[in-house]
Amino acid sequence: MPHHVRRRPVALAAAALLALGGLAAVPQLASAAPDPGSPVKVNQVAYVPGLPKQATVVNSANSPLGWTLRNAGGATVASGQTTVRGTDALSGDPVHIADFSAYDTPGTGYVLSVGGSNSYPFDISADPVRRLRGDSLAFFYHQRSGTPIDAQYVGSRYARPAGHVNVAPNRGDNNVPCRTSCGYTLDVRGGWYDAGDQGKYVVNGGLATWQLQNIYERTLYVNGADKSAVADGTLAIPERSNGVPDVLDEARWELEFLLKMQVPDGRTNAGMVHHKIHDQNWTALPTRPELDSEPRLLSPVSTAATLNMAAVAAQASRLWKPFDAAFASRALAAAEKAYAAAKANPNRLAPATDNTGGGAYEDNTVSDEFYWAAAELYATTGATGYRNDLSGSPHARGAGFTRGAYDWSWTAGLGDTTLVLVPTGLPSGDVSAIRSAIVGFADRMLAQIANQGYPAPGSGNGTYYWGSNGAVANNANVLALAYDLTRTTKYRNGAFAAYDYLLGRNPLNQSYVAGYGDKPVRNLHHRFWANQNDGSLPTAPPGSLSGGPNSELQDPVVQAQLGGCKPQKCFIDDIGAYSVNEVAINWNSAFAWLVHWAAEQAGAGSGPDPTPTPTVTPTTTPTTTLPPPTTTPPPPTTTPPPAGGCAVTYSANSWSTGFTGSVTLANTSAAAWSSWRLTFRFTGDQQISQGWSGRFSQSGSEVTVTNESYNGAVPPNGSVNLGFNATYSGTNATPTGFAVNGTACTLR
């Protein structure tokens, strides 16, 4: 698998740390490895009904251990024996596997107990992964440059003015000169900030844009794909309700920027694309985007950037044609011009030395980008020239998958994915070869995770690189695609194992997704989501994915605290640990793709295909009755619940000036709800900034939450989970007066 330093080289680490403002210039030398928490490691959010449910247990016993599964009321609902796996190479842990796949009753607050230790509570429900679809894509609106981030879409906590629009102290992106004199400036406003800094990189933007567009394009060709999940009105963005799928609207925000990075006609290198644009020097942390005073500079053109733009603009052209034919034509013209320019300049490589103020993103192999761009242009135009370029590529017929899946520096697999999904005139034998290559790569990923105590398809060589969670998500996407192509359950199960890893089934009991799980990442490396440095700033919004473990230890914080760590334990949730805890658009795009696919599988398929075979004994008479699984929900009724017909479980995870509130709302009446309206009141100055799984409004201390379209129907004994982020000062007491549809609820 290819790997590249995403951001600062190690040689610059000390200087970078000094620029971090609120962080200590000299890190502590004492070891302070993260607390691994309970030895029972689970997906802290939810296991999807009908799919495998496995946990990893740290225990040195050489014989199987008994496990029990308890529901929210404390009743044992299933039990069984673990399978001994021995010492896990990537974590150093002696592990067992507990498989409780045979228990499939939806509910909240389940706890798995093994050897006297309890897991974090989790749900058996499809609701959280459906909620995560929107949150994983909301990340991109938060990262938009050149436009205000409006409170009506993100809440007051995350709202901010437009960054880099030539309003002081910004130098702005309206007329950016070249780092090396080129005789012109470009207006490159817009696009997404790439990561925790405020640079905008074409090669990262190309991959992320393709993945968002492919989330939509996949629904056009895969049987059973959920088109409604990507429809207009599904995201909280300004373009909603414009008649265009929201995921395409979000991708277009970046694509318009990529088009602006093309050298104008009449200039040297016309048609080529500048590699990146960012600050002249590394920006101190924290720095809100609108307060960034650094000059902005364009880096020279590169063949890789030019082909990235060509590929995603060609892809966009065929997707936008039904919605905006003029834009589709403009995108295709730019793509064809870029491809021709790249062929005329095939070796304009970005240098590794261009790393002041932004990452270099050097890439000395661009044959994969040529293949990808040719594939997208051929799928859109059917032109013989592009087909000939495909056939003559060393990556033809899926050969790129012998090296790896895909990343910003290895893109052949993106072209293969398009060619296997989108009908073209490519010979059927070539399409079959690509299909076989994808499935073969998926088989290699399954062989890799079969030997792991915490299944996470990564590099396979025992090293976890910068952005390992992005690699895990991308490899899981290939497993998911193999399932789309074959409907073989082992690929589906492998993709979900990776999903579980990202949400807590890992050696550190760490949910790598902000806002999800009992131990979510909070201190992601970011110049605005910098609460650890400045309490007036927010933590990262829900759905943001951390880069994850990096055994190469490439920043001073991890070097000081994690020396000698095993690969999957080389992580710390600290804002200064940029080589393990930064965000990036191409990691979140891979995660968003995986989450959209995973949400489709809820309730689908023929059931789990677990390995090893579990030993499960469901308890026959649990003391707390949960609803039996059903494929046909009770008919809805508009009758409000009678007195005592609802119950609420509330918890809060608080820090100095803010907290995340979690609410489980249970229907304890005998009648189904067709909709619900939850009300409660705060007893202090709490102010909600963002909510999920419900539509939140607040007037003074009074809060009202109404259901979303997908979770309004709640059967008897059923429940729904919702949550919010909020600020407070003083005491953060539990809210009072919980009621549903006007009827008071019992607070559990």
Side-chain angles (χ1 to χ4, degrees):
M1 294 287 291
H3 70 282
H4 297 261
V5 173
R6 261 196 31 79
R7 199 132 305 277
R8 308 159 184 76
V10 175
L12 296 180
L17 188 65
L18 288 170
L20 296 184
L23 294 179
V26 180
Q28 297 296 315
L29 298 180
S31 175
D35 179 3
S38 167
V40 185
K41 325 285 188 175
V42 297
N43 177 328
Q44 297 170 17
V45 180
Y47 292 90
V48 175
L51 296 175
K53 305 172 192 69
Q54 295 182 343
T56 301
V57 181
V58 179
N59 196 293
S60 58
N62 294 321
S63 301
L65 301 170
W67 60 258
T68 58
L69 180 66
R70 303 194 309 274
N71 64 21
T76 297
V77 294
S79 61
Q81 295 285 312
T82 64
T83 300
V84 181
R85 292 292 298 271
T87 301
D88 174 58
L90 291 174
S91 66
D93 291 340
V95 300
H96 293 222
I97 304 299
D99 192 321
F100 53 102
S101 301
Y103 186 80
D104 212 34
T105 302
T108 63
Y110 288 105
V111 172
L112 184 70
S113 299
V114 187
S117 298
N118 298 327
S119 72
Y120 281 121
F122 57 87
D123 297 351
I124 297 176
S125 172
D127 290 342
V129 69
R130 291 170 179 153
R131 180 175 78 239
L132 190 48
R133 279 189 300 210
D135 283 344
S136 63
L137 287 179
F139 171 88
F140 295 92
Y141 177 68
H142 283 278
Q143 289 286 94
R144 286 190 187 188
S145 174
T147 188
I149 304 304
D150 199 315
Q152 70 173 303
Y153 305 115
V154 301
S156 59
R157 183 74 165 153
Y158 292 98
R160 58 174 172 82
H164 299 98
V165 290
N166 286 50
V167 175
N170 278 172
R171 307 294 180 92
D173 290 350
N174 303 48
N175 52 348
V176 181
C178 297
R179 185 178 292 271
T180 302
S181 178
C182 59
Y184 58 84
T185 63
L186 291 182
D187 181 349
V188 291
R189 285 172 292 177
W192 300 315
Y193 296 124
D194 175 72
D197 66 313
Q198 289 149 17
K200 298 185 290 190
Y201 306 85
V202 171
V203 294
N204 243 21
L207 172 59
T209 302
W210 184 91
Q211 288 184 310
L212 264 62
Q213 292 182 156
N214 187 257
I215 288 173
Y216 172 75
E217 186 159 45
R218 175 184 166 276
T219 68
L220 304 179
Y221 300 109
V222 173
N223 289 334
D226 187 358
K227 295 181 177 64
S228 67
V230 295
D232 185 30
T234 53
L235 296 179
I237 57 175
E239 298 84 2
R240 66 183 306 167
S241 303
N242 66 350
V244 177
D246 286 347
V247 69
L248 290 186
D249 282 323
E250 189 58 71
R252 181 171 176 171
W253 186 263
E254 176 72 1
L255 182 58
E256 292 280 14
F257 157 73
L258 298 177
L259 297 175
K260 292 177 181 179
M261 293 287 280
Q262 190 168 35
V263 177
D265 291 342
R267 296 289 185 176
T268 303
N269 299 317
M272 294 290 283
V273 174
H274 286 274
H275 197 67
K276 54 182 181 161
I277 175 261
H278 54 66
D279 289 347
Q280 180 173 278
N281 300 292
W282 285 108
T283 314
L285 185 152
T287 302
R288 291 169 60 108
E290 77 277 9
L291 301 179
D292 178 9
S293 61
E294 282 286 334
R296 307 279 276 178
L297 297 172
L298 290 164
S299 288
V301 300
S302 74
T303 305
T306 303
L307 292 168
N308 266 261
M309 190 275 272
V312 296
Q315 178 196 30
S317 178
R318 63 179 179 266
L319 298 178
W320 275 91
K321 192 172 183 179
F323 306 108
D324 187 337
F327 174 64
S329 296
R330 176 162 63 92
L332 182 57
E336 296 201 293
K337 182 186 296 184
Y339 188 78
K343 291 189 74 172
N345 298 273
N347 294 302
R348 298 292 292 273
L349 305 179
T353 54
D354 186 8
N355 57 10
T356 300
Y361 285 95
E362 74 275 14
D363 184 0
N364 295 326
T365 302
V366 294
S367 58
D368 52 312
E369 281 89 358
F370 272 110
Y371 179 77
W372 173 33
E376 300 299 343
L377 282 159
Y378 177 59
T380 299
T381 68
T384 301
Y386 301 126
R387 176 171 164 178
N388 291 341
D389 286 352
L390 281 175
S391 300
S393 169
H395 310 303
R397 298 169 59 88
F401 277 101
T402 60
R403 172 172 168 175
Y406 30 77
D407 198 352
W408 66 265
S409 63
W410 186 249
T411 60
L414 305 179
D416 284 327
T417 302
T418 290
L419 294 173
V420 82
L421 288 178
V422 180
T424 67
L426 202 65
S428 60
D430 288 0
V431 176
S432 295
I434 293 170
R435 175 190 173 105
S436 296
I438 291 169
V439 173
F441 180 84
D443 285 332
R444 294 197 297 278
M445 292 300 98
L446 291 181
Q448 181 187 126
I449 66 177
N451 296 316
Q452 295 175 345
Y454 305 93
S459 65
N461 66 0
T463 300
Y464 269 44
Y465 300 117
W466 196 317
S468 65
N469 283 344
V472 168
N474 278 320
N475 290 337
N477 291 353
V478 181
L479 285 164
L481 181 60
Y483 177 70
D484 284 346
L485 296 174
T486 68
R487 293 294 159 174
T488 302
T489 58
K490 65 180 180 178
Y491 303 121
R492 181 196 65 187
N493 296 351
F496 270 96
Y499 175 76
D500 291 342
Y501 169 87
L502 296 174
L503 288 167
R505 188 190 169 193
N506 54 62
L508 299 178
N509 260 323
Q510 180 73 67
S511 170
Y512 290 114
V513 182
Y516 281 78
D518 291 86
K519 187 185 175 185
V521 286
R522 292 192 64 252
N523 301 314
L524 294 170
H525 181 80
H526 199 273
R527 274 143 177 86
F528 175 45
W529 307 328
N531 182 266
Q532 186 179 354
N533 286 135
D534 182 344
S536 71
L537 297 177
T539 57
S544 303
L545 179 70
S546 167
N550 174 7
S551 55
E552 296 188 322
L553 301 182
Q554 290 167 289
D555 68 69
V557 173
V558 297
Q559 288 167 1
Q561 300 189 32
L562 300 180
C565 57
K566 290 291 186 178
Q568 284 190 350
K569 290 183 176 178
C570 296
F571 176 83
I572 187 170
D573 184 16
D574 189 287
I575 195 169
Y578 50 78
S579 71
V580 301
N581 207 29
E582 194 168 10
V583 296
I585 54 175
N586 61 310
W587 303 335
N588 244 82
S589 61
F591 183 59
W593 195 103
L594 176 63
V595 169
H596 274 71
W597 173 88
E600 288 179 356
Q601 313 310 313
S606 57
D609 185 21
T611 301
T613 303
T615 302
V616 180
T617 308
T619 300
T620 56
T621 56
T623 58
T624 301
T625 304
L626 289 172
T630 176
T631 56
T632 306
T637 175
T638 57
T639 305
C646 60
V648 166
T649 303
Y650 175 83
S651 64
N653 179 21
S654 302
W655 53 96
S656 57
T657 60
F659 68 102
T660 298
S662 299
V663 180
T664 299
L665 177 61
N667 179 0
T668 59
S669 73
W673 303 343
S674 61
S675 62
W676 49 265
R677 179 177 179 271
L678 171 68
T679 56
F680 59 88
R681 72 183 68 89
F682 289 120
T683 59
D685 63 353
Q686 294 94 334
Q687 185 66 42
I688 292 177
S689 59
Q690 183 181 37
W692 49 90
S693 296
R695 301 177 184 183
F696 285 74
S697 62
Q698 183 173 352
S699 177
S701 63
E702 300 291 331
V703 177
T704 301
V705 193
T706 56
N707 62 272
E708 297 283 7
S709 59
Y710 61 82
N711 65 359
V714 183
N717 295 318
S719 62
V720 62
N721 297 307
L722 53 145
F724 58 86
N725 289 330
T727 60
Y728 78 102
S729 61
T731 302
N732 185 23
T734 298
T736 62
F738 286 97
V740 168
N741 300 341
T743 299
C745 298
T746 301
L747 183 62
R748 291 175 171 170

